[in-house]
Amino acid sequence: MTPILLSIATFMSTLSGGFFALKNQKWIKKIMGFTAGVIIGVVAFDLLPEIFKLISANNINSTIPMVALVVGFLVFHISEKLLLMHHAEEKQYGQHHHPQVGVLSAFALSGHSFLDGVGIGLGFQVNTTVGIAVAIAVIGHDFADGLNTVNLMLANKNKNSKAIKLLILDAIAPVLGVLSTRLFHLSTTNLVIYLGFFCGFLLYIGASDILPQAHEDGSTKTIIGLTILGTLFIFIVTRFA
Ligand SMILES: [Zn+2]
Protein backbone atom coordinates (compact mmCIF):
# COMPACT_ATOMS: atom_id res chain seq x y z
CA MET A 1 0.00 0.00 0.00
CA THR A 2 2.74 2.50 0.99
CA PRO A 3 4.53 2.39 -2.41
CA ILE A 4 1.25 3.23 -4.15
CA LEU A 5 0.57 6.14 -1.75
CA LEU A 6 4.11 7.45 -2.32
CA SER A 7 3.69 7.16 -6.08
CA ILE A 8 0.63 9.39 -5.76
CA ALA A 9 2.90 11.91 -3.99
CA THR A 10 5.26 11.78 -7.01
CA PHE A 11 2.22 12.45 -9.21
CA MET A 12 1.35 15.57 -7.19
CA SER A 13 4.98 16.71 -7.12
CA THR A 14 5.36 16.46 -10.92
CA LEU A 15 2.07 18.30 -11.48
CA SER A 16 2.96 21.13 -9.10
CA GLY A 17 6.37 21.51 -10.79
CA GLY A 18 4.64 21.84 -14.15
CA PHE A 19 2.12 24.38 -12.91
CA PHE A 20 4.91 26.38 -11.25
CA ALA A 21 6.58 26.55 -14.68
CA LEU A 22 3.34 27.75 -16.31
CA LYS A 23 2.85 30.45 -13.68
CA ASN A 24 6.56 31.29 -13.48
CA GLN A 25 6.72 31.66 -9.71
CA LYS A 26 9.77 33.28 -8.17
CA TRP A 27 10.92 30.67 -5.67
CA ILE A 28 11.47 27.78 -8.13
CA LYS A 29 15.26 28.23 -7.87
CA LYS A 30 15.15 28.08 -4.06
CA ILE A 31 13.09 24.87 -4.10
CA MET A 32 15.60 23.36 -6.54
CA GLY A 33 18.57 24.36 -4.35
CA PHE A 34 16.95 22.63 -1.37
CA THR A 35 16.02 19.54 -3.45
CA ALA A 36 19.62 19.12 -4.67
CA GLY A 37 20.76 19.04 -1.04
CA VAL A 38 18.06 16.50 -0.15
CA ILE A 39 19.13 14.19 -3.00
CA ILE A 40 22.84 14.28 -2.06
CA GLY A 41 21.80 13.62 1.55
CA VAL A 42 19.61 10.64 0.62
CA VAL A 43 22.48 9.05 -1.34
CA ALA A 44 25.12 9.64 1.37
CA PHE A 45 23.15 9.01 4.56
CA ASP A 46 20.52 6.53 3.46
CA LEU A 47 21.20 4.56 0.27
CA LEU A 48 25.00 4.06 0.46
CA PRO A 49 24.87 2.86 4.11
CA GLU A 50 22.11 0.45 3.04
CA ILE A 51 24.39 -0.91 0.27
CA PHE A 52 27.21 -1.38 2.83
CA LYS A 53 24.84 -3.28 5.12
CA LEU A 54 23.60 -5.55 2.32
CA ILE A 55 27.07 -6.36 0.97
CA SER A 56 28.47 -7.31 4.38
CA ALA A 57 25.38 -9.33 5.38
CA ASN A 58 25.36 -11.27 2.09
CA ASN A 59 29.11 -11.40 1.34
CA ILE A 60 28.76 -9.48 -1.93
CA ASN A 61 31.84 -8.01 -3.65
CA SER A 62 31.74 -4.23 -3.00
CA THR A 63 33.11 -3.46 -6.49
CA ILE A 64 29.83 -4.62 -8.06
CA PRO A 65 27.50 -1.89 -6.68
CA MET A 66 30.23 0.76 -7.14
CA VAL A 67 30.58 -0.11 -10.84
CA ALA A 68 26.78 0.12 -11.05
CA LEU A 69 26.97 3.59 -9.41
CA VAL A 70 29.44 4.86 -12.02
CA VAL A 71 27.40 3.30 -14.84
CA GLY A 72 24.24 4.98 -13.48
CA PHE A 73 26.00 8.34 -13.40
CA LEU A 74 27.52 7.98 -16.89
CA VAL A 75 24.39 6.64 -18.61
CA PHE A 76 22.47 9.79 -17.67
CA HIS A 77 25.42 12.08 -18.29
CA ILE A 78 26.03 10.67 -21.77
CA SER A 79 22.38 10.59 -22.86
CA GLU A 80 21.84 14.18 -21.68
CA LYS A 81 24.98 15.49 -23.39
CA LEU A 82 24.12 13.70 -26.66
CA LEU A 83 20.72 15.44 -26.61
CA LEU A 84 22.43 18.81 -25.98
CA MET A 85 24.95 18.18 -28.79
CA HIS A 86 22.02 17.75 -31.11
CA HIS A 87 20.59 21.07 -29.88
CA ALA A 88 23.92 22.85 -30.48
CA GLU A 89 24.06 21.61 -34.09
CA GLU A 90 20.50 22.82 -34.62
CA LYS A 91 21.52 26.38 -33.70
CA GLN A 92 23.71 26.61 -36.84
CA TYR A 93 20.55 26.75 -38.91
CA GLY A 94 19.43 29.98 -37.23
CA GLN A 95 16.25 30.66 -35.30
CA HIS A 96 13.66 27.99 -35.95
CA HIS A 97 11.44 25.84 -33.78
CA HIS A 98 10.42 22.21 -33.85
CA PRO A 99 7.41 21.53 -31.64
CA GLN A 100 8.04 17.79 -32.20
CA VAL A 101 11.53 18.10 -30.61
CA GLY A 102 9.80 19.36 -27.48
CA VAL A 103 7.35 16.44 -27.61
CA LEU A 104 10.18 13.90 -28.08
CA SER A 105 12.21 15.33 -25.21
CA ALA A 106 9.11 15.34 -23.02
CA PHE A 107 8.57 11.66 -23.90
CA ALA A 108 12.19 10.93 -22.93
CA LEU A 109 11.54 12.64 -19.59
CA SER A 110 8.44 10.49 -19.07
CA GLY A 111 10.56 7.36 -19.68
CA HIS A 112 12.96 8.58 -16.99
CA SER A 113 9.99 9.22 -14.66
CA PHE A 114 8.80 5.65 -15.25
CA LEU A 115 12.25 4.47 -14.04
CA ASP A 116 11.85 6.75 -10.99
CA GLY A 117 8.74 4.74 -10.13
CA VAL A 118 10.51 1.40 -10.75
CA GLY A 119 13.19 2.72 -8.36
CA ILE A 120 10.65 3.26 -5.58
CA GLY A 121 9.05 -0.17 -6.11
CA LEU A 122 12.42 -1.97 -6.05
CA GLY A 123 13.46 0.06 -3.00
CA PHE A 124 10.48 -1.44 -1.18
CA GLN A 125 11.66 -4.91 -2.30
CA VAL A 126 14.88 -4.26 -0.31
CA ASN A 127 12.96 -2.96 2.74
CA THR A 128 10.62 -0.16 3.83
CA THR A 129 13.46 2.19 4.90
CA VAL A 130 15.12 2.01 1.47
CA GLY A 131 11.75 2.37 -0.28
CA ILE A 132 10.94 5.53 1.67
CA ALA A 133 14.48 6.94 1.12
CA VAL A 134 14.21 6.44 -2.65
CA ALA A 135 10.69 7.91 -2.61
CA ILE A 136 11.91 11.08 -0.84
CA ALA A 137 14.62 11.60 -3.49
CA VAL A 138 12.16 10.90 -6.30
CA ILE A 139 9.30 13.05 -4.95
CA GLY A 140 11.78 15.92 -4.47
CA HIS A 141 13.21 15.86 -7.97
CA ASP A 142 9.94 15.03 -9.74
CA PHE A 143 9.03 18.64 -9.08
CA ALA A 144 11.96 19.51 -11.37
CA ASP A 145 10.85 16.83 -13.87
CA GLY A 146 7.40 18.43 -14.17
CA LEU A 147 8.95 21.87 -14.49
CA ASN A 148 11.32 20.65 -17.22
CA THR A 149 8.53 18.95 -19.16
CA VAL A 150 6.57 22.20 -19.38
CA ASN A 151 9.68 24.30 -20.10
CA LEU A 152 10.78 21.94 -22.90
CA MET A 153 7.34 22.05 -24.50
CA LEU A 154 6.96 25.84 -24.28
CA ALA A 155 10.57 26.51 -25.41
CA ASN A 156 9.80 24.54 -28.58
CA LYS A 157 6.65 26.57 -29.24
CA ASN A 158 4.04 24.04 -28.22
CA LYS A 159 0.67 25.24 -26.96
CA ASN A 160 -0.08 25.37 -23.21
CA SER A 161 -2.78 22.70 -23.60
CA LYS A 162 -0.30 20.27 -25.23
CA ALA A 163 2.28 21.03 -22.54
CA ILE A 164 -0.31 20.13 -19.87
CA LYS A 165 -1.10 16.82 -21.64
CA LEU A 166 2.57 15.78 -21.58
CA LEU A 167 2.87 17.02 -18.01
CA ILE A 168 0.07 14.65 -17.01
CA LEU A 169 1.82 11.78 -18.86
CA ASP A 170 5.04 12.58 -16.97
CA ALA A 171 3.09 12.63 -13.68
CA ILE A 172 1.43 9.25 -14.32
CA ALA A 173 4.71 7.56 -15.45
CA PRO A 174 6.18 7.00 -11.94
CA VAL A 175 2.86 5.57 -10.70
CA LEU A 176 2.99 3.02 -13.55
CA GLY A 177 6.65 2.36 -12.72
CA VAL A 178 5.78 1.49 -9.11
CA LEU A 179 2.95 -0.78 -10.26
CA SER A 180 5.26 -2.60 -12.74
CA THR A 181 7.49 -3.79 -9.86
CA ARG A 182 4.56 -5.84 -8.53
CA LEU A 183 5.15 -8.13 -11.52
CA PHE A 184 8.74 -9.22 -10.75
CA HIS A 185 11.20 -9.81 -7.89
CA LEU A 186 14.97 -9.28 -7.86
CA SER A 187 17.59 -11.36 -5.97
CA THR A 188 19.61 -9.60 -3.24
CA THR A 189 22.66 -9.24 -5.52
CA ASN A 190 20.54 -7.67 -8.26
CA LEU A 191 18.90 -5.35 -5.72
CA VAL A 192 22.37 -4.20 -4.61
CA ILE A 193 23.31 -3.55 -8.25
CA TYR A 194 20.09 -1.61 -8.74
CA LEU A 195 20.74 0.43 -5.57
CA GLY A 196 24.25 1.31 -6.81
CA PHE A 197 22.87 2.29 -10.22
CA PHE A 198 20.15 4.41 -8.62
CA CYS A 199 22.74 6.18 -6.40
CA GLY A 200 24.74 7.13 -9.51
CA PHE A 201 21.57 8.32 -11.24
CA LEU A 202 20.54 10.43 -8.21
CA LEU A 203 24.04 11.91 -7.79
CA TYR A 204 23.96 12.95 -11.43
CA ILE A 205 20.46 14.47 -11.20
CA GLY A 206 21.31 16.30 -7.97
CA ALA A 207 24.77 17.63 -8.79
CA SER A 208 24.71 18.00 -12.55
CA ASP A 209 21.07 18.68 -13.37
CA ILE A 210 19.13 20.31 -10.52
CA LEU A 211 21.98 22.26 -8.86
CA PRO A 212 23.06 24.04 -12.09
CA GLN A 213 19.38 24.84 -12.79
CA ALA A 214 19.02 26.35 -9.31
CA HIS A 215 21.92 28.71 -10.08
CA GLU A 216 20.91 29.49 -13.67
CA ASP A 217 19.71 33.05 -12.95
CA GLY A 218 22.64 33.82 -10.66
CA SER A 219 23.72 32.38 -7.34
CA THR A 220 22.50 33.75 -4.03
CA LYS A 221 23.50 32.95 -0.45
CA THR A 222 19.91 31.82 0.11
CA ILE A 223 20.14 29.11 -2.59
CA ILE A 224 23.53 27.91 -1.30
CA GLY A 225 22.18 27.92 2.27
CA LEU A 226 19.09 25.94 1.23
CA THR A 227 21.26 23.24 -0.40
CA ILE A 228 23.23 22.85 2.86
CA LEU A 229 19.93 22.81 4.76
CA GLY A 230 18.64 20.02 2.45
CA THR A 231 21.63 17.78 3.23
CA LEU A 232 21.38 18.57 6.99
CA PHE A 233 17.66 17.83 6.93
CA ILE A 234 18.26 14.30 5.57
CA PHE A 235 21.21 13.76 7.95
CA ILE A 236 18.96 14.53 10.93
CA VAL A 237 15.95 12.56 9.61
CA THR A 238 18.11 9.47 9.00
CA ARG A 239 19.46 9.59 12.59
CA PHE A 240 15.95 8.72 13.78
CA ALA A 241 15.13 6.11 11.12
ZN1 LIG B 1 12.83 11.95 -12.25
Side-chain angles (χ1 to χ4, degrees):
M1 198 60 215
T2 323
I4 309 281
L5 285 178
L6 288 168
S7 77
I8 292 166
T10 68
F11 178 82
M12 301 310 294
S13 171
T14 310
L15 274 194
S16 48
F19 283 110
F20 257 98
L22 284 171
K23 300 221 160 189
N24 219 357
Q25 293 270 344
K26 275 203 298 191
W27 31 294
I28 287 176
K29 303 292 172 193
K30 296 191 182 78
I31 296 176
M32 290 191 136
F34 182 76
T35 302
V38 165
I39 292 175
I40 308 295
V42 164
V43 171
F45 305 130
D46 224 333
L47 298 181
L48 284 176
E50 197 63 41
I51 291 180
F52 303 151
K53 244 189 261 167
L54 285 169
I55 56 181
S56 65
N58 298 283
N59 256 326
I60 297 167
N61 183 348
S62 61
T63 311
I64 298 170
M66 291 302 119
V67 168
L69 185 150
V70 173
V71 170
F73 190 98
L74 288 180
V75 161
F76 285 91
H77 166 67
I78 293 166
S79 45
E80 195 179 88
K81 294 307 160 199
L82 287 179
L83 258 174
L84 286 178
M85 258 162 66
H86 172 74
H87 274 285
E89 282 162 15
E90 288 262 302
K91 277 195 189 124
Q92 293 172 353
Y93 301 100
Q95 266 294 340
H96 68 303
H97 290 284
H98 298 293
Q100 65 272 32
V101 171
V103 174
L104 270 182
S105 313
F107 266 111
L109 254 174
S110 294
H112 146 131
S113 296
F114 180 81
L115 284 182
D116 284 344
V118 173
I120 296 176
L122 290 180
F124 275 95
Q125 287 190 18
V126 180
N127 60 47
T128 310
T129 319
V130 174
I132 290 173
V134 173
I136 290 171
V138 168
I139 293 165
H141 91 258
D142 271 0
F143 180 85
D145 287 349
L147 193 105
N148 288 333
T149 304
V150 169
N151 281 341
L152 271 168
M153 292 294 288
L154 299 184
N156 288 290
K157 298 281 170 222
N158 284 288
K159 290 205 181 78
N160 273 13
S161 58
K162 209 170 182 187
I164 290 173
K165 269 185 206 150
L166 277 149
L167 173 65
I168 291 171
L169 178 72
D170 189 44
I172 292 172
V175 182
L176 297 178
V178 169
L179 288 174
S180 77
T181 60
R182 302 242 143 174
L183 305 174
F184 62 95
H185 270 271
L186 292 186
S187 67
T188 311
T189 311
N190 283 332
L191 280 175
V192 168
I193 293 172
Y194 136 75
L195 271 182
F197 181 87
F198 214 69
C199 282
F201 161 71
L202 286 176
L203 280 178
Y204 181 76
I205 300 262
S208 195
D209 197 35
I210 296 182
L211 210 46
Q213 277 192 61
H215 290 268
E216 225 168 35
D217 303 338
S219 302
T220 63
K221 282 181 187 151
T222 316
I223 299 176
I224 296 169
L226 280 167
T227 303
I228 298 170
L229 202 69
T231 56
L232 274 177
F233 171 68
I234 295 299
F235 180 77
I236 292 164
V237 166
T238 50
R239 292 317 92 188
F240 298 103

